[in-house]
Amino acid sequence: MSNIFTIEAVQAEENFVWGVMLDQICEDNSCSVNETNQLQMSSFVYALSPLKQISQGIDVSSITCAGGKVLVLKQSNGLPACVNPSSVEKLIFRGWAIHILPGYTNGNNNSEIFTLGSHKTMSEMVTYFGDVSGYLARPVSDGSYPGIVMIHEWWGLNDNIKEMADKLASHGYVVLAIDLYGGKVATTSDQARQLITAFDSEYGLQNMNSAVSFLSDVYAVDAVGSIGWCFGGGQSLNLALHNEELDATVIYYGSLVTDPETLSVIDWPVLGIFAELDKGIPVETVNEFETALNQVDVENQIHIYDGVDHAFANPSGERYAPDASKNAWAQTISFLESNLK
């Protein structure tokens, strides 16, 4: 066996430590090392490291991890690493890792699962934050409509998100699908990891807050909500924690905050859509999130869909689950109707 490389995250006294083992062979496929008699690590040895697989032309989303390990991307440089499933949530929560999504495909982009409403719509690109443009969809007919800030996945403001904005607008909303990547869109996991690694959270917050102001100032919306998927789901929650002008928050399998005191600033209902098989945002964390919301009296609806994985509601993704997506969309439309109209 050659080209052996292992890397694993473990928790020691609340600090994550990374152990690297090179060119080591263990007959039982497991090794352990003790550092200063305080840290015990166990790493699975596999033939090719993630970096070696990339060098051989394998896309990031297709990299394999042996021994039941899970692939994540390091926040600081976007490099891949294989870690224990139990470590994924903690690494993402602490900002060390980025959860990887399945690959992008060109099929299913026009899914009819996400039903249209009764309004005919129009759309245009609008400048809402400095020189940043977003995709705005709204009903053609005059009237007063609620506004919604829509936040894309790690792929960026692509055609799938624009189509979702059109569909949501047809239910009677002014929808601004924002752009957190400054016009860049990824079609491969490698491109997406580069974009999300370069993402600045403070810039993102300013971007989202400007979108809320834009909808209020330009379209005089009488209520504003936010919705996002995965990366965008986490940002939807982040916006809720930093903008008191919202009236509803929708989170599709986004990174969560489970501290009750932090969540107590939310003064409106929250809808959470999650997946049973999601290793990055496991059911245990979702339950903690729901408990924390209840503890500080934040109205919420939390749905965990059985048998589906992260990104199940993306029709342009490999994990797309039509039945669960249809139900989640119906829950979303009902939730927004109840809290924004």
Side-chain angles (χ1 to χ4, degrees):
M1 183 180 295
S2 61
N3 296 319
I4 298 175
F5 178 94
T6 64
I7 183 169
E8 174 163 350
V10 296
Q11 188 175 19
E13 297 180 355
E14 299 303 315
N15 292 314
F16 278 98
V17 180
W18 288 85
V20 179
M21 302 172 65
L22 295 171
D23 298 322
Q24 182 172 355
I25 299 176
C26 304
E27 294 181 359
D28 61 353
N29 286 334
S30 65
C31 305
S32 64
V33 62
N34 189 284
E35 296 181 3
T36 65
N37 296 321
Q38 294 180 343
L39 177 62
Q40 184 74 27
M41 294 185 295
S42 176
S43 299
F44 188 95
V45 179
Y46 53 92
L48 293 177
S49 73
L51 292 180
K52 186 67 174 180
Q53 293 180 59
I54 289 177
S55 71
Q56 294 186 353
I58 298 175
D59 185 79
V60 174
S61 64
S62 299
I63 289 175
T64 57
C65 293
K69 293 189 182 295
V70 178
L71 184 72
V72 297
L73 301 176
K74 190 173 180 180
Q75 174 72 44
S76 61
N77 58 17
L79 295 178
C82 293
V83 304
N84 283 333
S86 60
S87 299
V88 174
E89 175 201 355
K90 298 171 185 176
L91 292 172
I92 292 174
F93 182 79
R94 297 191 177 196
W96 191 97
I98 307 167
H99 189 62
I100 187 169
L101 296 182
Y104 180 91
T105 66
N106 290 322
N108 297 320
N109 286 347
N110 295 313
S111 170
E112 295 304 320
I113 293 297
F114 307 100
T115 56
L116 290 170
S118 59
H119 295 268
K120 292 183 179 180
T121 63
M122 61 182 295
S123 62
E124 60 181 323
M125 296 300 294
V126 298
T127 302
Y128 68 95
F129 174 56
D131 60 355
V132 177
S133 296
Y135 182 85
L136 188 128
R138 61 186 178 89
V140 171
S141 58
D142 293 334
S144 178
Y145 304 100
I148 295 179
V149 176
M150 180 175 285
I151 313 167
H152 56 73
E153 297 173 306
W154 80 331
W155 305 110
L157 181 54
N158 59 17
D159 289 342
N160 176 59
I161 295 298
K162 292 176 180 178
E163 182 181 0
M164 294 301 292
D166 291 329
K167 288 180 179 293
L168 189 52
S170 73
H171 290 271
Y173 300 96
V174 179
V175 182
L176 176 56
I178 65 174
D179 183 0
L180 295 180
Y181 289 165
K184 298 178 181 179
V185 176
T187 57
T188 68
S189 295
D190 187 60
Q191 293 172 354
R193 74 177 177 86
Q194 294 178 40
L195 290 174
I196 201 170
T197 299
F199 174 71
D200 179 81
S201 58
E202 183 59 33
Y203 162 86
L205 189 57
Q206 294 173 8
N207 186 313
M208 293 187 292
N209 283 329
S210 291
V212 174
S213 297
F214 178 87
L215 289 172
S216 298
D217 296 343
V218 178
Y219 289 92
V221 297
D222 50 13
V224 182
S226 68
I227 182 172
W229 294 263
C230 187
F231 164 71
Q235 293 304 312
S236 184
L237 176 57
N238 191 35
L239 178 59
L241 298 176
H242 295 90
N243 192 311
E244 61 184 15
E245 301 301 318
L246 294 181
D247 300 282
T249 295
V250 180
I251 304 164
Y252 271 72
Y253 34 75
S255 296
L256 299 174
V257 174
T258 58
D259 176 57
E261 183 176 356
T262 302
L263 294 170
S264 66
V265 301
I266 301 175
D267 192 29
W268 52 85
V270 173
L271 171 66
I273 303 294
F274 301 96
E276 178 193 21
L277 305 181
D278 193 334
K279 296 182 179 65
I281 309 164
V283 172
E284 292 79 5
T285 300
V286 177
N287 290 336
E288 290 177 12
F289 176 62
E290 182 178 18
T291 298
L293 290 174
N294 291 334
Q295 184 175 331
V296 292
D297 297 322
V298 176
E299 183 181 342
N300 65 87
Q301 298 177 31
I302 304 298
H303 301 275
I304 302 174
Y305 288 86
D306 295 337
V308 298
D309 209 335
H310 191 82
F312 73 85
N314 183 351
S316 61
E318 295 175 351
R319 297 175 184 170
Y320 178 53
D323 290 341
S325 296
K326 182 177 182 179
N327 184 272
W329 181 248
Q331 296 290 343
T332 300
I333 296 302
S334 175
F335 174 82
L336 294 174
E337 289 276 344
S338 298
N339 294 292
L340 294 182
K341 294 185 176 181

